[in-house]
Amino acid sequence: MTAAAILLAAGLGTRMRSALPKALHPLAGRPMLNQLLAAAGEVFDRAVVVVGPDMPALERAAAPHPTVVQAERLGTGHAALQAAPLLEGFAGDAAVLYADNALITAETMRRLRAARDGAGLALLAMRPADPAKYGRVLTDGSGGVTRVVEWADATEAERAVTLCNAGVVCARAADLFRWLRLVRNDNAKREYYLTDIVAFAVAEGVRVAAVEAPEAELRGINSRVELAEAEAEMQRRLRRAAMEGGATLIQPESVVFSHDTALGQDVTVGPNVVFGPGVAVEDGVEIRAFSHLEGCVVKRGAIIGPFARLRPGTVVERGAHVGNFVELKAAVLGEGAKANHLSYLGDADIGAGANIGAGTITCNYDGVNKHRTVIGEGAFIGSDTALVAPVSVGARALVGAGSVITEDVPADALAVARGRQVNKAGRGFKGKKGRG
């Protein structure tokens, strides 16, 4: 049976104190909305995103999934109902998810769908350490849900119930929209609550099932503090997945991953390493402490860091070394090549086995355009060399330390481009006034 996910993302997130829509705040390097869409895509055949008015950035983030605008924010039930025209005639199940509940896993969504197979309506619930002002899920003696009551409308006895509503529901699309059209706003907040559909299902004799999941997975994200807590949970998952996949994390709690970080087996990651989006690391790589990687590929057996920065477009080939305080941007460091100290290599192609001396800079920007530097296989670039692009250094060429290279260097040549040293006898410190 096909199934659709309706993602509610119209919230402004006023507690975030941000001009950015709440659903666009990132978790592990991607917006909450996209985090949830990725998980939902493993379980549901299609998705519809409900956004608020004047949210073009959110609509772009949702693409290619269709969006619909909730012109007035009148509650979760009203928001979910806005998706009805886009699912007209849909014969499968429909689930309502929340963009600020971005940590729900695909496995939990599968359990929700499985529970719906044995009930007319299924919902997600949790038992938080601090129930605070969550709505309560009330059940009968057999475990079936009889009612969901919002905190503001609950009695003291109902508030004592520990099973709390996460807001996510799943039913046949036709039933879901039929119940949503019955929802009224005669409550303390004068809003149309999605969870009121439980009462309509029960009144029709439909079984309602609750699927429990951990609080860490179902908690909402409504403030910067809660966003940080969600990020910590996301990082915990990613670290565990990396280690279970065969990587060694020397100090796991200090490593920061992106949602798409790919580590091979026998990779060793030192403390305080940060992975931005788009990083792929092959087997046997060592990434030493305080390195920062994004948008790059590190191939088998390479060594990175400590204190290295790999920026987008960088490829470090097999067995290459990138040392301390070295930055690469849109550069290819060839197999076995070494850049061990204090260098910037931007827009560069560096051949296999080349050696880049400390303090080397590829001067890739002329104030208007970027230009590339090409260094051949086995070339040796002396310390404190400036390579003014566009320029090439041939294979096995030697560039003397302190050179400023503005013209191509042929293969097997020695290039020295610096002022001639002049020694002035007797002009040192001896005899200078004011010197001790």
Side-chain angles (χ1 to χ4, degrees), residues 258-261 276-280 294-297:
S258 186
H259 66 95
D260 59 353
T261 305
V279 176
E294 60 179 319
C296 63
V297 176

PDB file of all heavy atoms in Angstrom, residues 258-261 276-280 294-297:
ATOM      1  N   SER A 258      28.818  15.707   9.949  1.00  0.00           N
ATOM      2  CA  SER A 258      27.692  16.170   9.151  1.00  0.00           C
ATOM      3  C   SER A 258      26.802  14.974   8.851  1.00  0.00           C
ATOM      4  O   SER A 258      27.224  13.817   9.000  1.00  0.00           O
ATOM      5  CB  SER A 258      28.180  16.802   7.853  1.00  0.00           C
ATOM      6  OG  SER A 258      27.114  17.371   7.129  1.00  0.00           O
ATOM      7  N   HIS A 259      25.576  15.264   8.434  1.00  0.00           N
ATOM      8  CA  HIS A 259      24.611  14.187   8.182  1.00  0.00           C
ATOM      9  C   HIS A 259      25.094  13.204   7.127  1.00  0.00           C
ATOM     10  O   HIS A 259      24.702  12.036   7.119  1.00  0.00           O
ATOM     11  CB  HIS A 259      23.270  14.789   7.739  1.00  0.00           C
ATOM     12  CG  HIS A 259      23.349  15.485   6.410  1.00  0.00           C
ATOM     13  ND1 HIS A 259      23.017  14.879   5.232  1.00  0.00           N
ATOM     14  CD2 HIS A 259      23.736  16.748   6.093  1.00  0.00           C
ATOM     15  CE1 HIS A 259      23.195  15.730   4.234  1.00  0.00           C
ATOM     16  NE2 HIS A 259      23.625  16.870   4.728  1.00  0.00           N
ATOM     17  N   ASP A 260      25.977  13.645   6.210  1.00  0.00           N
ATOM     18  CA  ASP A 260      26.387  12.801   5.094  1.00  0.00           C
ATOM     19  C   ASP A 260      27.845  12.383   5.153  1.00  0.00           C
ATOM     20  O   ASP A 260      28.384  11.882   4.163  1.00  0.00           O
ATOM     21  CB  ASP A 260      26.113  13.518   3.771  1.00  0.00           C
ATOM     22  CG  ASP A 260      26.855  14.845   3.655  1.00  0.00           C
ATOM     23  OD1 ASP A 260      27.474  15.281   4.647  1.00  0.00           O
ATOM     24  OD2 ASP A 260      26.806  15.460   2.568  1.00  0.00           O
ATOM     25  N   THR A 261      28.499  12.556   6.293  1.00  0.00           N
ATOM     26  CA  THR A 261      29.897  12.138   6.412  1.00  0.00           C
ATOM     27  C   THR A 261      30.016  10.637   6.170  1.00  0.00           C
ATOM     28  O   THR A 261      29.306   9.846   6.783  1.00  0.00           O
ATOM     29  CB  THR A 261      30.450  12.483   7.800  1.00  0.00           C
ATOM     30  OG1 THR A 261      30.272  13.881   8.047  1.00  0.00           O
ATOM     31  CG2 THR A 261      31.923  12.144   7.891  1.00  0.00           C
ATOM     32  N   GLY A 276      32.369  18.978   7.897  1.00  0.00           N
ATOM     33  CA  GLY A 276      31.264  19.686   7.280  1.00  0.00           C
ATOM     34  C   GLY A 276      30.593  18.795   6.248  1.00  0.00           C
ATOM     35  O   GLY A 276      30.986  17.638   6.053  1.00  0.00           O
ATOM     36  N   PRO A 277      29.584  19.316   5.549  1.00  0.00           N
ATOM     37  CA  PRO A 277      28.883  18.504   4.548  1.00  0.00           C
ATOM     38  C   PRO A 277      29.805  18.053   3.413  1.00  0.00           C
ATOM     39  O   PRO A 277      30.778  18.726   3.060  1.00  0.00           O
ATOM     40  CB  PRO A 277      27.800  19.454   4.029  1.00  0.00           C
ATOM     41  CG  PRO A 277      27.605  20.449   5.122  1.00  0.00           C
ATOM     42  CD  PRO A 277      28.953  20.629   5.744  1.00  0.00           C
ATOM     43  N   GLY A 278      29.482  16.882   2.864  1.00  0.00           N
ATOM     44  CA  GLY A 278      30.125  16.438   1.636  1.00  0.00           C
ATOM     45  C   GLY A 278      31.506  15.855   1.782  1.00  0.00           C
ATOM     46  O   GLY A 278      32.328  15.995   0.874  1.00  0.00           O
ATOM     47  N   VAL A 279      31.790  15.159   2.882  1.00  0.00           N
ATOM     48  CA  VAL A 279      33.114  14.577   3.101  1.00  0.00           C
ATOM     49  C   VAL A 279      33.046  13.061   2.945  1.00  0.00           C
ATOM     50  O   VAL A 279      32.201  12.408   3.558  1.00  0.00           O
ATOM     51  CB  VAL A 279      33.678  14.934   4.486  1.00  0.00           C
ATOM     52  CG1 VAL A 279      35.016  14.238   4.720  1.00  0.00           C
ATOM     53  CG2 VAL A 279      33.825  16.441   4.628  1.00  0.00           C
ATOM     54  N   ALA A 280      33.963  12.520   2.136  1.00  0.00           N
ATOM     55  CA  ALA A 280      34.092  11.069   1.991  1.00  0.00           C
ATOM     56  C   ALA A 280      35.534  10.688   2.308  1.00  0.00           C
ATOM     57  O   ALA A 280      36.474  11.253   1.725  1.00  0.00           O
ATOM     58  CB  ALA A 280      33.721  10.626   0.586  1.00  0.00           C
ATOM     59  N   GLU A 294      35.516  19.767   4.772  1.00  0.00           N
ATOM     60  CA  GLU A 294      34.198  19.915   4.156  1.00  0.00           C
ATOM     61  C   GLU A 294      34.326  19.787   2.652  1.00  0.00           C
ATOM     62  O   GLU A 294      35.314  20.222   2.057  1.00  0.00           O
ATOM     63  CB  GLU A 294      33.557  21.254   4.530  1.00  0.00           C
ATOM     64  CG  GLU A 294      34.347  22.478   4.108  1.00  0.00           C
ATOM     65  CD  GLU A 294      33.651  23.769   4.483  1.00  0.00           C
ATOM     66  OE1 GLU A 294      32.423  23.840   4.337  1.00  0.00           O
ATOM     67  OE2 GLU A 294      34.355  24.712   4.908  1.00  0.00           O
ATOM     68  N   GLY A 295      33.326  19.147   2.030  1.00  0.00           N
ATOM     69  CA  GLY A 295      33.266  19.057   0.582  1.00  0.00           C
ATOM     70  C   GLY A 295      34.504  18.462  -0.057  1.00  0.00           C
ATOM     71  O   GLY A 295      34.938  18.922  -1.116  1.00  0.00           O
ATOM     72  N   CYS A 296      35.077  17.423   0.552  1.00  0.00           N
ATOM     73  CA  CYS A 296      36.350  16.889   0.058  1.00  0.00           C
ATOM     74  C   CYS A 296      36.342  15.365   0.072  1.00  0.00           C
ATOM     75  O   CYS A 296      35.490  14.737   0.692  1.00  0.00           O
ATOM     76  CB  CYS A 296      37.507  17.419   0.892  1.00  0.00           C
ATOM     77  SG  CYS A 296      37.444  16.922   2.620  1.00  0.00           S
ATOM     78  N   VAL A 297      37.335  14.797  -0.619  1.00  0.00           N
ATOM     79  CA  VAL A 297      37.531  13.353  -0.654  1.00  0.00           C
ATOM     80  C   VAL A 297      38.948  13.063  -0.183  1.00  0.00           C
ATOM     81  O   VAL A 297      39.913  13.665  -0.670  1.00  0.00           O
ATOM     82  CB  VAL A 297      37.333  12.791  -2.077  1.00  0.00           C
ATOM     83  CG1 VAL A 297      37.639  11.295  -2.106  1.00  0.00           C
ATOM     84  CG2 VAL A 297      35.909  13.058  -2.555  1.00  0.00           C
TER      85      VAL A 297
END
